[in-house]
Amino acid sequence: MPCVLTEPNDRLGASVRRGAVRLGIVCGSLALATGLSPFASADPGTADEQVRASAPEFAPIPGTAGSPLVATADEGGIRRAPAPLVVRAADDFDRPDGPLGPNWITRGGGTLRITNGHLDGRGTPSTPLSLAFWSEPMPSETQVMRCVVRWNGHDPEHSSIGPVVRANPGVDTGVQFAFTESMMALYYEDPSSPNGFAPAAGTPQYASTSKFPEGAVVELRADGNRYTARVNGRIVLQGTVEADEIPFTNRYVGTVIQDDSRERGGGQPPAQLDDCRALTP
C-alpha cells in the first residue's frame, strides 16, 4: 500500500523534502566468483508478468507452466508463456573479505566490498549512492537481477539496498528496487525530481511493507517498459518506465547500497546481499 511519511521526526521523509538523503539500493552485482567465468543454465523463470502487483505476501518462487501455451481466462484466448530464463552470471561472495574483484564495475560515493561472505555497503555515504555492476553487459533487453537478503540482525529504517537493471555505468544508474525494513520503492534517478528519484509509473514514491524474511529472494525484472519487483516470487511492486527515461538498450545489471547510519537520526546500517544472479532469456 502507498506510504506517506507523515511523522515530523521521520528523517527519511524530512531528508527527501530537503533533497538531501534518498532511498537507495545495494551495490552488489550479479557476477561470478573470482576466477570463474560466466555460465549459462536453464532457469524456470517467474510467474505471469501480467499478474497484478499484490500486497507483500511471501511464497516460494513458482516454476513455469509445462506448456509453451497458456490459456488466459480474462481474455478467453491463448498466449505464449514467457521464455525460460538463463543464468548469465552468479556470485555467492564466498571468498575472503575485501574488494569485489575485476569482474565488477563500482560507481558512486563508496565502494562495495565482500564482508563475511556477503556483499556489503556499510560505511558508504548516504549520498551519492554506491553501486556495483557486473562487468559484462547482458545479451538481452529483458533482464532479471536476483539476490538473497541478509539482515544480520539489523533493522534499518533508512539505509536501503536492492537490485538494479538496465544501467549504463557512468551514464545511467538504471531502475532500482530499493527497500529498508519497512519501506520499498521502484524508481530511477531523475535530477528534475524533487528528491532526485522518479517512481515508475503506477507506483507510489514509497510504499510500506513488512520486513522481508531473513534469506528472502528479492528480484527485479525489466521486460519492455514494465518493471516488476518480487519477494520470494510474489509481486510487490510493478510499474512502467519508458525508453526516453531509461533506454531499453542499457545492458548492465547490479545492486546498490546506501548507508545512513552515520547521519543524524539515520538508524541502523543497511542489510547485505548474498547469492546474486543475473538472468535473461
Side-chain angles (χ1 to χ4, degrees):
M1 74 178 46
C3 174
V4 178
L5 303 177
T6 57
E7 297 183 14
N9 293 327
D10 189 294
R11 178 180 174 278
L12 180 56
S15 62
V16 164
R17 289 189 292 273
R18 294 195 307 270
V21 178
R22 298 175 269 180
L23 183 66
I25 299 181
V26 194
C27 241
S29 191
L30 26 112
L32 308 173
T34 300
L36 300 180
S37 58
F39 60 88
S41 62
D43 184 277
T46 48
D48 183 5
E49 290 290 334
Q50 302 292 345
V51 175
R52 179 179 299 177
S54 60
E57 302 172 11
F58 310 115
I61 296 177
T64 54
S67 169
L69 298 179
V70 179
T72 55
D74 55 339
E75 299 176 1
I78 301 247
R79 67 172 179 79
R80 294 200 174 275
L85 298 175
V86 174
V87 178
R88 304 296 181 179
D91 196 342
D92 61 9
F93 308 108
D94 188 15
R95 50 191 183 273
D97 291 1
L100 291 174
N103 287 333
W104 298 83
I105 301 170
T106 55
R107 292 288 187 270
T111 302
L112 299 187
R113 62 187 183 279
I114 295 172
T115 302
N116 296 327
H118 301 147
L119 179 66
D120 187 26
R122 290 174 298 174
T124 59
S126 177
T127 57
L129 303 178
S130 303
L131 302 103
F133 305 102
W134 174 235
S135 60
E136 294 294 329
M138 295 294 104
S140 173
E141 294 180 3
T142 299
Q143 302 161 13
V144 176
M145 174 62 179
R146 187 181 294 167
C147 294
V148 172
V149 179
R150 303 297 185 196
W151 295 104
N152 293 323
H154 294 151
D155 296 305
E157 297 178 7
H158 307 301
S159 299
S160 60
I161 65 173
V164 182
V165 295
R166 284 192 181 151
N168 184 3
V171 179
D172 289 326
T173 56
V175 176
Q176 309 174 2
F177 171 35
F179 59 90
T180 69
E181 67 155 354
S182 60
M183 290 184 293
M184 59 184 176
L186 184 59
Y187 55 33
Y188 59 95
E189 287 197 86
D190 179 6
S192 67
S193 296
N195 72 330
F197 281 86
T203 69
Q205 184 75 52
Y206 301 106
S208 61
T209 181
S210 58
K211 186 178 181 181
F212 302 158
E214 174 67 25
V217 177
V218 295
E219 172 184 308
L220 178 58
R221 176 171 180 147
D223 190 357
N225 69 346
R226 186 172 64 247
Y227 293 81
T228 305
R230 287 183 168 88
V231 178
N232 284 346
R234 188 83 174 184
I235 296 176
V236 295
L237 288 171
Q238 188 175 72
T240 59
V241 179
E242 301 304 326
D244 59 348
E245 299 292 347
I246 298 295
F248 297 170
T249 53
N250 285 359
R251 296 297 178 90
Y252 289 84
V253 294
T255 61
V256 57
I257 297 178
Q258 175 196 34
D259 188 353
D260 269 4
S261 63
R262 294 183 295 179
E263 303 290 331
R264 183 177 180 182
Q268 296 184 23
Q272 297 175 322
L273 292 180
D274 196 7
D275 296 324
C276 291
R277 292 192 291 170
L279 308 95
T280 72

